[in-house]
Each structure stands twice: as structure tokens, then as C-alpha cells.
């Protein structure tokens, strides 16, 4: 069948590594990529990589990457025929998808209706129940804003403790509270409502039972405009810090072939029930007893999509574009569920792992990404760029593929050892530590594992230099000074900055 | 050339003699033969004896000290003046066992989400003091060592610039 839409030029309504990733798919398809940029992103890689680039305003996201009007103006100015939202920013904003459609642009993603439906956690749970998929026991509807404390307590009693208070519009752990005892309930509901109200503009919350040691397992899927839905082999995303994924892999050690069949067919059932098109992900919690529960649906391309690409050989962004053009999904469902080898991703952040993962913005003086067999580095960073303070501080996604998990772990360790970044701190030393932990190597972890071990470590440095390494560092510093008199001078005198301010900064960063 | 270099909380006397690409280096009298090549402004290739190291030398995000990466292991290195005088802005060893007030400042522009301490309160090392939202994350600023809160300048909901003084601990 001939494509219903011609796509020759795509406006990428995003920045950083994902904008570069989408541009790459565009180039391979003979499509012209168009970038947008905020003030601080003028020199960013995604701008340099694109065919055209349009300024969309000041650096704060609400003044640029979240401005639907300016994005549509840029699309019109470029003569783009389609818009790819990436992830984050407006990717799950039904108004943006609708505005694109109204402007005659093909939105590369699901319909505004599907985004709106699955964006409400309670509506999404209802859709899953209707599709016959188990959900974590919880309240079916949001708690009414005027519900009295004793009625809230009765609702909680029905769910059972420990429970989670969750924002209906939530995501990323915001507007979420764990309650272990009835005495803490009212305060937690108040706090969650206030956090949800300011983060999402919607204060509605509901209750969900808290599973004690679940894994986070998710199923990537693609749906075309002709009713075909194809689920993919699961991703394991249980390594999380403060509800944010930091490592993702596929397949999961915890998922047997029978469980895979059950989870992926459940995921496809939910997607079919809502007439889902484009790439999406159904997230599940897998309990210790082997039972799984629908958690939520992400109606967009996900950060961790490359691990699925590595074990299936498919290009998910290419498929998103093809589906938006009206093409039929002719992926073999059996091969989509049969991984070739194992893939692991580390999200490399500009954060100081030895200082409670405090963001470490600033200029990247040196950057050399790992390479070689089985390594993929999806990055938006280059030397000479500043990591801006305005956005998520992820600078790259490092992905290792190998024939099996033990080899993929070894390969990732090798690649982490190659990652050279100077000028800013990164989470590379943290991953070096994590990939040596027996629990991680043996796959014995759950969603609270990382927070628990980090708490127990209480800030101990992740990589402690040996005496030999300290000697080499001293030699290097001395030779650095000896080889460049300028550097020696810089190394032995204080900079001219106002001293009190300098001191404040140094101490604050410690 | 001679340098006083602090690594891992311990000061070392480092002497460098150059012969072409080869350097005779001694650390507190221990000799090392080093072949060094500068790759660019930050990167050096060192062959110490026969052991090969790639090192990067770059200033920390703050003006001092230097971060030397040996492979991917970051090591904090501080030059001391030859007369032994500690430069301004230098802190003690990484355990930060020094005395005097701790001044906790905002590491970047952001918004104060929570203030967790009051003036007069006793705090222990690593206790969270203030939560600052920046770069889409809530970041806890913590005490570096035990003490008593002397000043609190942070207010919940307030926007702060980088370097703004938030808490002083005596």
C-alpha cells in the first residue's frame, strides 16, 4: 500500500542526544532534519547536525522547548511536513499533538486522544482492567478534593498498608509518597497533592498498594494505523535512583519464556484496547511471587529504546516515521520477541556521584566516547560545549551489546574505562562501581535496591584511588606544570574572582 | 623543578628533572622514570617505567583544585605554594576534618524547595540541610561535618543564584 503521507522534512521539537538520534534516522531515510534551539543551545550538537535550525526563545524550557506556538512557527518557516517530539518536553502533551494535527503537520507519535487517555493514571488503569490485564490493587478513581480525612483513611484501609499516594498526572516519582502507617496518611496525601499541583498543574491523587520488592519490567511496542500491534522482548529497568532509571537492559534475567509470552500479550492487549499507534511502552511491576501488574503506559519513544534496537536489529525511530506515513508494520512478531544477545544501557549524567549526585554543569573540556565492538554511544555532547543548567543533565547513553549478559557486563566495564570526560563530573565512576557489585552481576535486584545500597554506603567515594594511582596523579600534575608554564602559574595562584564568592562555590560543591 | 603537591590528603615533595621526552621524577625521594607526551591542553600520555597511563588534568568545576584522571579514576590534586603557604580557597583533606565555619552555598541557580534545619540546631556530618531544585532534580545540600547551625539564609520557595550563601555551620 502506498504511504498516505509524504514526509520530506521533520521538525524535531527537542534537544540534546534524542534530537541527534532522530536526525540520524531522518538522514538514513532521505528526510531533512530541522532543529530548534533555545538561547543557551545555539552551539549544541543537535543544531550543528541538522539541515536547518530555528531559534525558539530563552533558555528556560517554558520559554522555548515548551512553547507550542514557537515550535509551530518554526515548522511553518521551515516548510516541515511532520514533527517529532522526542521524549520529555511536549512528547506526552495531547494539546501539542492536536495543535500539530490542526496545523496540517503529521505528529510522529500516537493520537492526541491516546496521549490524553493514557496520560491519566486512573484512566490508564481502567483501560488495562478492561483489557483483562491485572493492575496493582488501588483506588479506581482519584480521591475527591473535598474527601474528609476519615473517608480517606477508610479508602486506604481497603487497599492495605504499605501504600503509595500517587499523582494522577504523575511521573518520575513526583507527587508520590509511601505511607507505612495510618498515622502518616493525611500528611502524605496533603504533601502529594501540593507537589502534584505544582509539578503537573493537577493536584488529583489516588492510592496504590506498594509491592515490597518488585522489579520494573516494561514492554516496548509498535502499533500501525491498520490495527497491527507488535510487542517486543521486555526491558528490565529496576536499577533506579530516586524513581529515575539509571540502567536498563534486555532481556530480563527474571523473565522466563512463559512469563515473557504473558507480559507481552498483556501489553499488546492494552495497546489494542486503546487503538494505539506509533511507539509506546507498557510498564509493569513484577512481584517476587512472579505475578505482574500494569503500572502505566508511556505514549512516546523512551530514553532506553536503544537496548531494544540492539537485540532486535530494528530502528524504532525509523518505524515511528514509517508508521506516521501510513506504512504497514511488517515486523515478524516472533523475531520481535526473540532477542539476539543481551544489551545494557547506562545513562551518563553530568552529576557528581561522590557528592550525593549533585548536578555538575559547566564546560566540557575533553570528551572521548568509548567505541569498538558492541558499543553504542548516543550523545548530544561534545568538547567545548557547556552542560546547561536548564535541562536534564544527561549527556549520553552508553549501550553495550554482547552475546550474553555476562559478556555484556564485561564489555560495559571495558567501555566505562574508555570514557574520557574532563571539565565536568560524570556518573561514570558510579557505574564502574555498580558493574562490580555481586547483586548487579548476578541480577539480584529490585526497584529499591540501588537506593538501599546508596543509603548504606553513606556517601563513600565510588572509586578510591590506590596508592599507585595517587603517585601517577602527582607525577601527572607535576609534569603538567613542568610542560606548560602557564598551567603551573594557574595551578599555584588563586584566580582573580572575588575571593568570598570563590570560597562559597568551592565549599558548596564539596 | 620542585612542587609541593597534595594528593589524598597527604602532601608530597615532587622533584622533576627533564631530559628530552624523559623525566626523572622523585616523590618524597622515591624515583620514577617517566616518558611523557602532551596530547593536548588537558591530556598527557605517561609511561612510568613500562606502565602506560592516559591522564587528563583539568580544573574542577570550582576554580581549584585540579582533577587528575588516571584512566577514569578521578584524583583531587592541589598544588601548595613552595613556601608551604596554603592558597586561599583550598580546603583540607577530602574528609574535611578542618575547623572553622562551614559555609554552604548554592552550587547552581535554582529554587529552595525545603529548609531542613533551624538556627541553633546541632547537625552531624552528611545531614541534609537544604533541598534545592535545579536541573529538573531535587538536590540535597548536606553538612560536611558535625556542628551547630549559626545562620540560615535560605527560605522555602526562594530562587537563588549560584554561590548564594544558604547556611553557615559553626
Amino acid at each position: 500500500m502506498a504511504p498516505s503521507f509524504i514526509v520530506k522534512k521533520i521538525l524535531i521539537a527537542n534537544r540534546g542526544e534524542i534530537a541527534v538520534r532522530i536526525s540520524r534516522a531522518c538522514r538514513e531515510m532521505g528526510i531533512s532534519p530541522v532543529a530548534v534551539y533555545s538561547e543557551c543551545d545555539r552551539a549544541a550538537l543537535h543544531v550543528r547536525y541538522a539541515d536547518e535550525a530555528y531559534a525558539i526563545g530563552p533558555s528556560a524550557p517554558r520559554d522555548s522547548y515548551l512553547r507550542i506556538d514557537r515550535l509551530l512557527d518554526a515548522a511553518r518557516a521551515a516548510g516541515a511536513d511532520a514533527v517529532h517530539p522526542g521524549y520529555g518536553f511536549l512528547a506526552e502533551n495531547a494539546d501539542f499533538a492536536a495543535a500539530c494535527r490542526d496545523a496540517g503537520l503529521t505528529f510522529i507519535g500516537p493520537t492526541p486522544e491516546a496521549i490524553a487517555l493514557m496520560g491519566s493514571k486512573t484512566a490508564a488503569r481502567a483501560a488495562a482492567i478492561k483489557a483483562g490485564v491485572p493492575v496493582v490493587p488501588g483506588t479506581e478513581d482519584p480521591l475527591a478534593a473535598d474527601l474528609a480525612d476519615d473517608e480517606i483513611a477508610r479508602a486506604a484501609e481497603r487497599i492495605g498498608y504499605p501504600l503509595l499516594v500517587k499523582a494522577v498526572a504523575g511521573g518520575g516519582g513526583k507527587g508520590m509518597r509511601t505511607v507505612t502507617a495510618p498515622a502518616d496518611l493525611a500528611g502524605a496525601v496533603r504533601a502529594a497533592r501540593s507537589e502534584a499541583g505544582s509539578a503537573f498543574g493537577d493536584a488529583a491523587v489516588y492510592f496504590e498498594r506498594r509491592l515490597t520488592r518488585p522489579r520494573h519490567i516494561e514492554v516496548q511496542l509498535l502499533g500501525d494505523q491498520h490495527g497491527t500491534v507488535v510487542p517486543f522482548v521486555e526491558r528490565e529497568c529496576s536499577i533506579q535512583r530516586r524513581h529515575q532509571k539509571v540502567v536498563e537492559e534486555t532481556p530480563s534475567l527474571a523473565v522466563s519464556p512463559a512469563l515473557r509470552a504473558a507480559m507481552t500479550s498483556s501489553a499488546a492487549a492494552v495497546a489494542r484496547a486503546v487503538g494505539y499507534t506509533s511507539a509506546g511502552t507498557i510498564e509493569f511491576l513484577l512481584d517476587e511471587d512472579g505475578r505482574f501488574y500494569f503500572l502505566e503506559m508511556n505514549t512516546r519513544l523512551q530514553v532506553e529504546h536503544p537496548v531494544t534496537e540492539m537485540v532486535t536489529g530494528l530502528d524504532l525511530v525509523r518505524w515511528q516515521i514509517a508508521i506516521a506515513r501510513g506504512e504497514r508494520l511488517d515486523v515478524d512478531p516472533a523475531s520481535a520477541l526473540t532477542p539476539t544477545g543481551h544489551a545494557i544501557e547506562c545513562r551518563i549524567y553530568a552529576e557528581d556521584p561522590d557528592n550525593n549526585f549533585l548536578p555538575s554543569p559547566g564546560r566540557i573540556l575533553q570528551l572521548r566516547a568509548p567505541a569498538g565492538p558492541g558499543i553504542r554511544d548516543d550523545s548530544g555532547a561534545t568538547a567545548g560545549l557547556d552542560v546547561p543548567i536548564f535541562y536534564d543533565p544527561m549527556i549520553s547513553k552508553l549501550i553495550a551489546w554482547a552475546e550474553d549478559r555476562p559478556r555484556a557486563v564485561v564489555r560495559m566495564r571495558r567501555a566505562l574505562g574508555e570514557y574520557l570526560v574532563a571539565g565536568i563530573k560524570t556518573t561514570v565512576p558510579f557505574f564502574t562501581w555498580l558493574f562490580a557489585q555481586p547483586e548487579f552481576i548476578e541480577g539480584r535486584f529490585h526497584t529499591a535496591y540501588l537506593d538501599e545500597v546508596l543509603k548504606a554506603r553513606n556517601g563513600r567515594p565510588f572509586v578510591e584511588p590506590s596508592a599507585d594511582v595517587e603517585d601517577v596523579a602527582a607525577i601527572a600534575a607535576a609534569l603538567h606544570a613542568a610542560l606548560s608554564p602557564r598551567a603551573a602559574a594557574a595551578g599555584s595562584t588563586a584566580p582573580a574572582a572575588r575571593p568570598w564568592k570563590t570560597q562559597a562555590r568551592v565549599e558548596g560543591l564539596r | 623543578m620542585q612542587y609541593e603537591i597534595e594528593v589524598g590528603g597527604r602532601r608530597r615533595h615532587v622533584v622533576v628533572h627533564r631530559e628530552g621526552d624523559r623525566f626523572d621524577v622523585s616523590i618524597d625521594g622515591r624515583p620514577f622514570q617517566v616518558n611523557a607526551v602532551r596530547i593536548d591542553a588537558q591530556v598527557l600520555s605517561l609511561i612510568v617505567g613500562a606502565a602506560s597511563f592516559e591522564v587528563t588534568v583539568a580544573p574542577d568545576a570550582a576554580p581549584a583544585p585540579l582533577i587528575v584522571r588516571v584512566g577514569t579514576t578521578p584524583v583531587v590534586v592541589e598544588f601548595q605554594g613552595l613556601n608551604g603557604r596554603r592558597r586561599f580557597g583550598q580546603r583540607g583533606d577530602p574528609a574535611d576534618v578542618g575547623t572553622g565555619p562551614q559555609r554552604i552555598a548554592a552550587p547552581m541557580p535554582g529554587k529552595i524547595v525545603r529548609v531542613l534545619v533551624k538556627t541553633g540546631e546541632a547537625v552531624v556530618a552528611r545531614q541534609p540541610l537544604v533541598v534545592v531544585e535545579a536541573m529538573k532534580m531535587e538536590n540535597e545540600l548536606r553538612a560536611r561535618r558535625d556542628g551547630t547551625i549559626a545562620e540560615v539564609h535560605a527560605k522555602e520557595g526562594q530562587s537563588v543564584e549560584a554561590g548564594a550563601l544558604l547556611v553557615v555551620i559553626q
Side-chain angles (χ1 to χ4, degrees):
Chain A
M1 180 191 137
S4 333
F5 304 98
I6 294 165
V7 174
K8 286 189 170 157
K9 195 184 252 194
I10 294 178
L11 180 110
I12 299 159
N14 215 301
R15 65 177 299 281
E17 70 85 18
I18 194 60
V20 175
R21 163 74 187 89
I22 295 162
S23 292
R24 285 181 166 139
C26 289
R27 291 219 183 280
E28 291 179 16
M29 297 175 82
I31 295 168
S32 175
V34 178
V36 293
Y37 62 94
S38 69
E39 273 168 16
C40 67
D41 270 344
R42 168 60 191 85
L45 184 63
H46 76 275
V47 174
R48 292 183 266 157
Y49 191 85
D51 280 348
E52 295 172 42
Y54 294 84
I56 50 164
S59 302
R62 65 174 179 280
D63 298 323
S64 48
Y65 297 106
L66 293 175
R67 283 287 296 264
I68 294 175
D69 55 342
R70 290 184 183 161
L71 291 164
L72 293 181
D73 285 347
R76 261 188 294 272
D81 32 45
V83 173
H84 196 305
Y87 56 70
F89 295 126
L90 294 168
E92 291 179 279
N93 183 309
D95 292 340
F96 182 53
C100 289
R101 186 168 67 185
D102 295 347
L105 294 160
T106 300
F107 181 77
I108 300 172
T111 60
E113 293 75 20
I115 296 173
L117 178 68
M118 300 315 269
S120 158
K121 292 207 171 182
T122 45
R125 282 164 59 87
I129 293 166
K130 222 173 104 188
V133 176
V135 299
V136 182
T139 49
E140 276 174 35
D141 299 307
L143 303 178
D146 58 354
L147 204 62
D149 278 1
D150 59 329
E151 287 178 70
I152 290 176
R154 271 199 295 279
E157 217 55 61
R158 283 195 294 277
I159 305 301
Y161 292 91
L163 60 76
L164 288 171
V165 185
K166 293 178 80 170
V168 169
K174 286 211 163 165
M176 189 155 100
R177 287 285 185 284
T178 300
V179 184
T180 49
D184 305 327
L185 184 68
V189 169
R190 267 195 300 279
R193 274 178 172 157
S194 120
E195 205 170 295
S198 62
F200 311 112
D202 178 357
V205 297
Y206 70 104
F207 292 152
E208 221 176 70
R209 182 182 300 159
R210 195 178 82 105
L211 307 180
T212 43
R213 308 191 133 220
R215 286 174 180 256
H216 176 118
I217 307 285
E218 61 185 31
V219 175
Q220 170 77 54
L221 49 84
L222 288 171
D224 70 12
Q225 298 183 39
H226 311 280
T228 301
V229 172
V230 176
F232 289 78
V233 54
E234 77 285 342
R235 290 190 290 249
E236 158 76 71
C237 312
S238 302
I239 299 291
Q240 304 183 357
R241 197 178 76 80
R242 291 158 65 181
H243 305 293
Q244 301 275 355
K245 299 165 189 167
V246 294
V247 175
E248 303 97 343
E249 60 183 297
T250 180
S252 168
L253 285 184
V255 176
S256 65
L259 183 57
R260 176 171 306 145
M263 293 183 90
T264 52
S265 60
S266 290
V270 175
R272 284 194 192 100
V274 298
Y276 194 81
T277 54
S278 192
T281 296
I282 307 278
E283 298 187 333
F284 294 104
L285 289 180
L286 175 62
D287 207 355
E288 285 174 295
D289 63 8
R291 285 196 289 188
F292 64 88
Y293 303 94
F294 171 86
L295 188 63
E296 62 179 64
M297 180 169 197
N298 294 136
T299 57
R300 55 170 157 82
L301 185 69
Q302 282 191 265
V303 175
E304 58 271 27
H305 75 275
V307 292
T308 300
E309 295 182 326
M310 297 295 270
V311 298
T312 60
L314 295 174
D315 181 333
L316 293 169
V317 177
R318 185 186 182 96
W319 269 114
Q320 282 190 298
I321 296 169
I323 288 167
R325 291 201 295 215
E327 290 174 27
R328 282 185 185 274
L329 188 54
D330 64 357
V331 172
D332 172 28
S335 70
L337 294 175
T338 313
T340 302
H342 195 98
I344 310 181
E345 172 181 283
C346 291
R347 299 189 187 188
I348 310 293
Y349 276 90
E351 290 176 344
D352 181 0
D354 290 333
N355 192 4
N356 201 27
F357 293 87
L358 214 58
S360 175
R363 173 139 319 165
I364 301 172
L365 299 174
Q366 264 297 332
L367 179 68
R368 190 183 65 213
I375 293 299
R376 168 173 169 181
D377 182 65
D378 276 23
S379 171
T382 67
L385 276 186
D386 290 310
V387 176
I389 57 166
F390 297 97
Y391 317 111
D392 182 288
M394 190 173 78
I395 55 168
S396 142
K397 304 182 311 206
L398 179 61
I399 302 120
W401 177 91
E403 301 93 306
D404 55 30
R405 189 174 188 273
R407 289 186 175 106
V409 169
V410 168
R411 183 165 274 169
M412 181 64 89
R413 280 208 293 261
R414 183 269 290 174
L416 289 166
E418 288 179 18
Y419 225 125
L420 186 153
V421 187
I424 57 165
K425 296 195 169 99
T426 74
T427 47
V428 168
F430 156 72
F431 287 116
T432 304
W433 166 84
L434 177 68
F435 276 65
Q437 298 310 300
E439 293 87 351
F440 179 79
I441 291 168
E442 291 156 24
R444 290 185 284 116
F445 48 73
H446 49 87
T447 54
Y449 159 76
L450 185 55
D451 284 327
E452 286 172 11
V453 291
L454 290 182
K455 195 172 172 198
R457 297 183 86 258
N458 196 22
R460 229 168 61 229
F462 286 102
V463 179
E464 291 180 87
S466 63
D468 287 349
V469 164
E470 287 186 351
D471 282 343
V472 174
I475 292 168
L479 293 181
H480 178 71
L483 287 169
S484 48
R486 240 166 224 271
S492 60
T493 53
R498 276 169 297 168
W500 65 269
K501 197 167 183 183
T502 304
Q503 173 147 32
R505 269 192 202 142
V506 172
E507 291 184 347
L509 280 162
R510 275 297 170 91
Chain B
M1 282 162 280
Q2 304 193 16
Y3 304 94
E4 296 294 316
I5 296 175
E6 192 177 300
V7 185
R10 206 164 59 75
R11 197 158 131 177
R12 295 138 208 257
H13 183 67
V14 183
V15 183
V16 176
H17 287 291
R18 180 174 193 166
E19 283 167 44
D21 274 349
R22 224 195 69 194
F23 297 83
D24 288 321
V25 180
S26 83
I27 302 177
D28 294 337
R30 288 176 297 134
F32 295 88
Q33 281 202 346
V34 184
N35 179 308
V37 177
R38 176 175 285 293
I39 308 300
D40 61 30
Q42 283 90 32
V43 181
L44 296 173
S45 167
L46 303 182
I47 301 174
V48 183
S52 173
F53 299 95
E54 186 175 58
V55 298
T56 64
V57 182
D60 192 359
L66 287 176
I67 299 287
V68 178
R69 281 182 182 74
V70 181
T72 52
T73 306
V75 186
V76 180
V77 175
E78 297 184 72
F79 279 89
Q80 313 280 311
L82 286 180
N83 57 5
R85 184 176 60 84
R86 291 171 68 86
R87 264 188 303 127
F88 185 81
Q90 280 183 193
R91 307 296 310 161
D93 68 38
D96 224 331
V97 291
T99 53
Q102 303 173 58
R103 302 160 66 86
I104 307 296
M108 63 207 65
K111 197 175 123 186
I112 307 293
V113 184
R114 278 184 293 284
V115 179
L116 304 166
V117 291
K118 288 193 204 65
T119 307
E121 196 176 325
V123 292
V124 296
R126 300 198 180 284
Q127 181 173 336
L129 307 171
V130 179
V131 181
V132 184
E133 187 181 284
M135 297 176 87
K136 294 179 71 184
M137 295 288 284
E138 291 192 356
N139 307 289
E140 281 177 358
L141 304 184
R142 300 179 175 208
R144 288 188 299 277
R145 51 180 191 268
D146 299 357
T148 305
I149 304 293
E151 299 167 30
V152 177
H153 300 285
K155 288 190 191 68
E156 290 187 7
Q158 173 193 16
S159 292
V160 292
E161 291 303 317
L165 184 63
L166 304 179
V167 175
V168 179
I169 305 172
Q170 286 291 352

